[in-house]
Amino acid sequence: MNLILASASPRRRQLLSELGIAFEVCPSNFPEAGVEELPPEQQALTLARGKAHSVAEQVQEGVVLGADTIVLIEGEVLGKPKSLEQAKEMLLRLSGRAHKVITGLALFRVEKGQIVGERTGYEETTVYFRRLTVEDVDLYVSTGDCMDKAGAYGIQGLASLLVEGLDGDYFNVVGLPLVRLDKLLRDWGFSLLRLGTKGNKGGS
């Protein structure tokens, strides 16, 4: 399987690389806008599908993967902050509370330049933030790690110290729910476990 990741996200690239899976990166230019009136799950799915489809139209062979992650609190979607001040506001709003992280996935199978199959799905995880002080927020924001992430944090980095617990898939919060992805691929007879095993032939 020729897997093509329609994303520039270093976190998604890292997760696939750590599995030992070979893949190409072809970032999508699909605009992340125009979905605000949709339910949160549909927002994530629509953006993921748009990203994957825009790349699938340009390739000859392979399976194109698109993903989009959103953060949801009290029914409101928190996108990527546009400033450090907005990042602080988001983090203080998440402080001491639970919120949802939803990642939409879309797969397009391409053969001889034609799209011959499509699969979509999403994963939802509940994340519990500890109660943060203003100093906590200022210190984290000062690293700049907040600026390219929905909800202004990345759980795999320093922000792990802001999270008290979660219910659901940890990798979903990172940005790529691996088990959900594997289930979608298995509809076509592919397996991340099998692909990862082929890429990890070294001994311990």
Side-chain angles (χ1 to χ4, degrees):
M1 181 185 70
N2 179 31
L3 180 63
I4 302 166
L5 178 62
S7 171
S9 166
R11 296 166 295 282
R12 294 185 180 118
R13 292 201 304 267
Q14 182 178 0
L15 286 177
L16 290 174
S17 295
E18 288 176 347
L19 293 178
I21 294 173
F23 63 96
E24 300 175 34
V25 177
C26 185
S28 170
N29 293 320
F30 187 79
E32 296 187 19
V35 297
E36 294 79 11
E37 299 303 317
L38 297 174
E41 297 85 357
Q42 289 302 313
Q43 290 188 35
L45 285 170
T46 299
L47 292 176
R49 187 182 184 282
K51 293 174 184 179
H53 188 264
S54 67
V55 172
E57 291 182 312
Q58 305 172 39
V59 303
Q60 288 299 306
E61 298 283 340
V63 174
V64 181
L65 165 62
D68 189 79
T69 300
I70 63 174
V71 171
L72 184 71
I73 186 166
E74 293 184 328
E76 180 182 347
V77 174
L78 300 184
K80 298 175 182 178
K82 297 179 181 178
S83 67
L84 295 179
E85 284 304 313
Q86 188 177 41
K88 291 179 183 180
E89 292 173 3
M90 288 183 181
L91 292 168
L92 287 171
R93 185 171 180 187
L94 297 175
S95 172
R97 306 172 69 186
H99 63 274
K100 304 284 187 183
V101 176
I102 299 171
T103 298
L105 296 176
L107 295 170
F108 284 91
R109 190 171 182 176
V110 183
E111 296 178 357
K112 297 180 180 180
Q114 299 294 318
I115 295 174
V116 297
E118 176 184 351
R119 295 288 185 275
T120 59
Y122 71 90
E123 193 68 35
E124 180 178 305
T125 303
T126 301
V127 180
Y128 303 92
F129 259 38
R130 64 191 289 187
R131 192 167 298 280
L132 307 176
T133 66
V134 173
E135 182 184 16
D136 292 333
V137 172
D138 286 343
L139 285 171
Y140 177 64
V141 169
S142 71
T143 68
D145 188 56
C146 57
M147 290 308 296
D148 64 338
K149 300 174 179 68
Y153 77 96
I155 194 171
Q156 72 281 6
L158 271 177
S160 61
L161 299 173
L162 312 181
V163 175
E164 204 161 45
L166 57 83
D167 291 330
D169 185 346
Y170 165 82
F171 297 106
N172 179 48
V173 187
V174 178
L176 190 63
L178 297 173
V179 171
R180 178 66 59 190
L181 173 59
D182 187 57
K183 289 178 178 178
L184 293 175
L185 287 170
R186 286 181 185 234
D187 288 345
W188 289 331
F190 301 121
S191 162
L192 290 180
L193 184 60
R194 188 179 303 115
L195 292 169
T197 302
K198 289 180 180 179
N200 287 282
K201 295 182 179 179
S204 57

